[in-house]
Amino acid sequence: MSNSSTSDFLEKLSSLKSDFKVYVPSLKKEVTADPITLKQQKDIISTSVNGVLGALKFTEALNNVIINNVEGDKFFAFDRLSIILGLRVGSLGDKVKSSKGDIVSLTPSLKTARKAPKFKLTKKVSIDGIQVDLRIPTLDEENKIIKKCILEIDKFEAEELSKAMGVIYIFELIKHIDQVTVGEDTIIFDDIKIQDRVKIVEKLPLDLYDKITSFLEDTTEFDRAVLSLDDEESISLDVSLFDATLAT
């Protein structure tokens, strides 16, 4: 047996990957993707033991897999589910457990993902002289906010769960805000610190929150439709989706 360096061996392992296609709603086409690796699967599954932080770290892990495995340089939040399901099928097969515990195929969900509506990437909402320019974030932009949110929540004690949930809600809004204008003064969120973004968002009128949340709901409804099998059964977007024991 010939000897080779670890780097050479890893390079050979990488060259053996069999790529496949996944559908990207924002592009309205399929692109090339590499299968999920064992390390990536481990990173995803490990988020299940992180309590309140688990959901944030889970989303961050999914985003990282997409950014690293899928051909392209810009993916949006509404692309995530279609791509992840495609990666799951290409890496582990199409069989998963439903919310009822039945073994089901992901094929219907992938078909629904191909019927994505034309999402508005930006929107302006206003009230009482305050205008907020909204955006659907790219996965890169989303991960930057998630990292900051994780750092904030790490400071909380276990009994401060409700406070942590409030922070998650504020950071979810921040992800979707491009800039805020009051009169002739405009603050571009990418130009200021995360802490300052939080302070601005916390000062916004409650009626404006409703309008911002309405913008977020378009993506949420699409994801819900993709994961729904019927009125009573659905597929859960959690670590169980990456259970290798169901691979076919």
Side-chain angles (χ1 to χ4, degrees):
M1 180 181 293
S2 62
N3 292 324
S4 62
S5 67
T6 301
S7 60
D8 289 340
F9 193 76
L10 289 171
E11 186 175 342
K12 288 180 180 178
L13 276 178
S14 296
S15 68
L16 294 175
K17 292 179 181 177
S18 300
D19 58 33
F20 47 84
K21 300 289 186 180
V22 296
Y23 183 74
V24 182
S26 64
L27 300 176
K28 298 291 183 184
K29 68 176 185 179
E30 292 183 331
V31 300
T32 302
D34 291 328
I36 298 169
T37 66
L38 180 60
K39 181 184 182 306
Q40 288 173 330
Q41 183 192 36
K42 181 188 72 174
D43 289 343
I44 292 170
I45 293 174
S46 68
T47 65
S48 65
V49 296
N50 284 313
V52 178
L53 291 176
L56 290 170
K57 291 185 176 181
F58 178 70
T59 298
E60 182 185 24
L62 295 188
N63 289 350
N64 285 335
V65 170
I66 292 171
I67 291 167
N68 292 323
N69 292 39
V70 182
E71 187 179 86
D73 55 8
K74 184 184 288 187
F75 304 106
F76 294 93
F78 61 84
D79 289 324
R80 177 170 44 242
L81 188 53
S82 174
I83 296 174
I84 280 298
L85 294 183
L87 285 169
R88 202 286 180 194
V89 171
S91 305
L92 294 169
D94 74 322
K95 296 297 187 291
V96 297
K97 278 188 179 180
S98 71
S99 56
K100 289 185 174 181
D102 299 327
I103 305 301
V104 298
S105 172
L106 285 173
T107 299
S109 292
L110 289 173
K111 288 181 178 178
T112 301
R114 288 178 174 269
K115 302 174 184 177
K118 184 175 177 58
F119 289 97
K120 287 184 177 181
L121 297 181
T122 61
K123 184 179 181 180
K124 298 179 188 293
V125 297
S126 61
I127 190 170
D128 297 334
I130 304 171
Q131 177 177 293
V132 179
D133 289 29
L134 302 172
R135 65 183 177 189
I136 295 180
T138 65
L139 301 189
D140 273 322
E141 291 167 340
E142 188 175 48
N143 268 7
K144 290 176 184 177
I145 302 297
I146 289 174
K147 288 179 188 297
K148 293 291 185 180
C149 188
I150 289 172
L151 288 174
E152 285 297 312
I153 294 176
D154 265 340
K155 300 174 185 176
F156 297 157
E157 300 295 334
E159 62 271 15
E160 297 182 291
L161 175 61
S162 60
K163 186 176 180 181
M165 296 304 294
V167 169
I168 290 173
Y169 175 66
I170 292 296
F171 274 78
E172 183 65 22
L173 298 180
I174 288 173
K175 285 191 303 186
H176 292 82
I177 296 178
D178 183 31
Q179 61 184 38
V180 177
T181 301
V182 180
E184 296 182 356
D185 296 325
T186 297
I187 292 291
I188 300 173
F189 268 33
D190 285 346
D191 293 343
I192 62 176
K193 296 178 181 179
I194 296 293
Q195 295 92 325
D196 291 332
R197 300 186 205 186
V198 171
K199 291 176 183 177
I200 291 173
V201 169
E202 288 180 337
K203 290 287 187 180
L204 294 177
L206 194 58
D207 288 349
L208 207 47
Y209 286 148
D210 292 338
K211 294 187 177 185
I212 297 172
T213 303
S214 177
F215 178 70
L216 276 60
E217 187 62 24
D218 289 341
T219 300
T220 303
E221 287 182 3
F222 171 62
D223 286 353
R224 192 180 298 121
V226 171
L227 293 172
S228 178
L229 298 175
D230 54 42
D231 291 340
E232 297 181 354
E233 193 168 23
S234 61
I235 295 165
S236 298
L237 182 61
D238 56 28
V239 296
S240 67
L241 187 66
F242 302 90
D243 183 357
T245 63
L246 298 177
T248 58

